[in-house]
Amino acid sequence: MTSKRSQTSQGSQTGQGSQGNRTRLQRATFAAGAALTVVVAGAGAAPGAGAAQESTAGKPKLKLIAASNSVTLDRYEWDGAPGVFLDLGTYVSVDDAPLEFKVTRKSYKDPVVAQQILRNGTSTKTKALPAGLVKDFSGLPGFVEVSIKNAAGEEVSATKGTYCPNNASGRIRPDAPATSKYPQSCPTNPFTLGSVWGVEKGWASNTSTIDYDKPVDLPVGEYTAKVGVSKQYRDLFGIPDDQHTIKLTVRSEGEGGEGAGVAASRSSAHGGGHGGHGAPSAKDPAEAAAAAAHHYGPRGADAPTPPALSHALEDRGLAHHLGDGPGHTDGSRIAPALKAAAKRPSGRAGVPANVPKPDLRSLPAWDIAVTDGEDGDAPGKDYLAFSANVWNAGPAPLVVDGFRAPGKDLMDSYQYFYDAAGKQVGYTPSGTMEWDPREGHEHWHFTDFASYRLLSEDQTKEVRSGKEAFCLANTDAIDYTVKNANWHPENTDLSTACGEQNSISVREVLDVGSGDTYTQYRPGQSFDITDLPNGTYYIQVIANPENRLQETNTDNNVALRKVVLAGEPGARTVTVPPHDLIDAP
């Protein structure tokens, strides 16, 4: 089934060139880890080995470790940016206490503030990170330093990478906690408000981050990579000055079995992240050719989510661990089906006065661009495309079931309510669900979740409107610091959450702290501006427009984003001013 968005995100895009592809892929690349116990043991890395560290109650002991002394990576030739994506299989191991951070901003007018959380039994202390060190929610910038030298000993690349503690984490010893309570990725939505980063004691997380617009241009050959933690973080967290030397072999795309499959999935024009159609593999040339021949418009379609499995793991023959299993996941997971109740609710509908309810809030639009349309749009016209998100600030999840009478085209939908113990205590009719057959959707949409309008400069006149039905899914972590936020929402993709055409019932959930993004890559995410005069307008995103859903607060359901149109028909342009401190077109 096709979909609207790659996961979650690890879920921020600008709408210009391939920036959307880069951030969409980046947030899902290392969503969760694989079986690190096997890898670290095989590499002979013992937690805590190396330079001595002072052990303080509640203070984690951190160390940079390497999964392997040698790594083979593929050189790709896709999106006009040839090069190598550096996943060298280095990890930060954590011992003595968990590594945890709380990252927030009061509003979009305020900078991001990061605190380290130090836990010692029932005691909790906080330690503020230096002001300005953390500028967004993607991780600790400039954490890892990587130097690449060629066979002649000449340095050909020197880079610094952001470290997301939630990135591809896994256990490094058998007595460590079996599961991690921390989220599986660091959010990159430009309008994120709060995040939690963490690594459990006895776990390690991958230090690699991938910028898909900026691969390292290494020709095929042999190299030596040296990886270390930058001095500012060694001093801040007491990390030993351990540097790892890794033999790096760069091969051409398609030389190896796994590499070929990864290359095909990354370069395919259509498919998968957020639970969409799987990308055609290199072993299916007919399917690949058919996909390449399909026109998806200048915006492109959602690219598939590349595997999160480290190349170091692939090279050690562990690729058969792909997917979910007891105690591990590699980021390619597909959420289990969200099942509706066995039958329609019976009895008198009603909502107890004090029952917890969701709080739906709109984010300002982003990823804004002028295009000539997607499949299904009228040719020769100009469209203003955008991405939009509605999120749930809680304190209760939004749970909506749809039930279909035999032979009917619409499902009747109901919103459910639960007490603090999780017992259902009420329900109310909430409209309908409809099957959306458009390429890029093909699932059941709740019809009264959000709507979009283009307003005049004085915001008094509606010049364009678009009512969007949604399949609800937790695509983006917007604020995991709110009350009852679920750091592990279940339906982070759409492959099973929104049903098939022949479904008799579905359940759709928007959990606390998460939002549902519809990107500008989806059909319907645009206004026809062909005959609009140049000037200033506002994109308005409205959550729960018909007030069919019960909420704790409806005063925060509307968000605006200013845009300025210019140019001539067929060559229209859009300028998107910053929204307070958020400069994300």
Side-chain angles (χ1 to χ4, degrees), residues 525-584:
Q525 287 291 126
S526 61
F527 299 113
D528 181 354
I529 59 170
T530 305
D531 59 355
L532 281 185
N534 290 333
T536 298
Y537 298 88
Y538 285 86
I539 297 175
Q540 183 185 56
V541 180
I542 308 174
N544 192 16
E546 304 298 329
N547 290 321
R548 295 186 185 275
L549 296 169
Q550 298 290 316
E551 298 187 60
T552 59
N553 182 12
T554 58
D555 294 336
N556 49 28
N557 286 19
V558 178
L560 297 171
R561 189 72 192 274
K562 184 178 181 178
V563 296
V564 181
L565 298 179
E568 301 293 332
R572 302 294 294 273
T573 64
V574 61
T575 301
V576 186
H579 183 88
D580 296 330
L581 295 181
I582 311 302
D583 189 7

Side-chain angles (χ1 to χ4, degrees), residues 154-211:
E154 302 166 330
E155 185 176 69
V156 293
S157 173
T159 60
K160 289 189 176 183
T162 297
Y163 168 54
C164 167
N166 299 342
N167 179 22
S169 61
R171 295 191 300 168
I172 56 175
R173 61 168 193 261
D175 63 336
T179 59
S180 172
K181 62 178 173 289
Y182 298 108
Q184 294 181 327
S185 62
C186 292
T188 58
N189 187 300
F191 292 99
T192 298
L193 287 164
S195 183
V196 176
W197 306 335
V199 184
E200 294 281 7
K201 179 177 70 172
W203 285 54
S205 63
N206 195 308
T207 64
S208 300
T209 54
I210 303 287
D211 186 335

Side-chain angles (χ1 to χ4, degrees), residues 263-281:
S265 70
R266 284 173 174 163
S267 60
S268 170
H270 175 59
H274 203 113
H277 285 316
S281 72

Side-chain angles (χ1 to χ4, degrees), residues 49-131:
Q53 287 179 288
E54 178 184 357
S55 179
T56 304
K59 179 181 178 181
K61 183 164 63 175
L62 309 182
K63 182 176 175 60
L64 184 70
I65 61 177
S68 176
N69 294 326
S70 62
V71 173
T72 299
L73 300 179
D74 294 305
R75 176 182 171 86
Y76 298 108
E77 307 282 346
W78 65 296
D79 283 353
V84 175
F85 304 118
L86 288 180
D87 175 13
L88 297 172
T90 56
Y91 298 79
V92 170
S93 67
V94 177
D95 222 324
D96 287 355
L99 176 66
E100 182 174 331
F101 300 94
K102 181 180 180 182
V103 190
T104 60
R105 59 181 163 210
K106 293 180 180 179
S107 73
Y108 300 130
K109 297 180 180 180
D110 297 291
V112 173
V113 176
Q115 294 179 314
Q116 184 178 3
I117 309 300
L118 302 171
R119 301 185 185 277
N120 181 24
T122 58
S123 173
T124 301
K125 296 181 180 181
T126 61
K127 174 185 176 182
L129 270 59

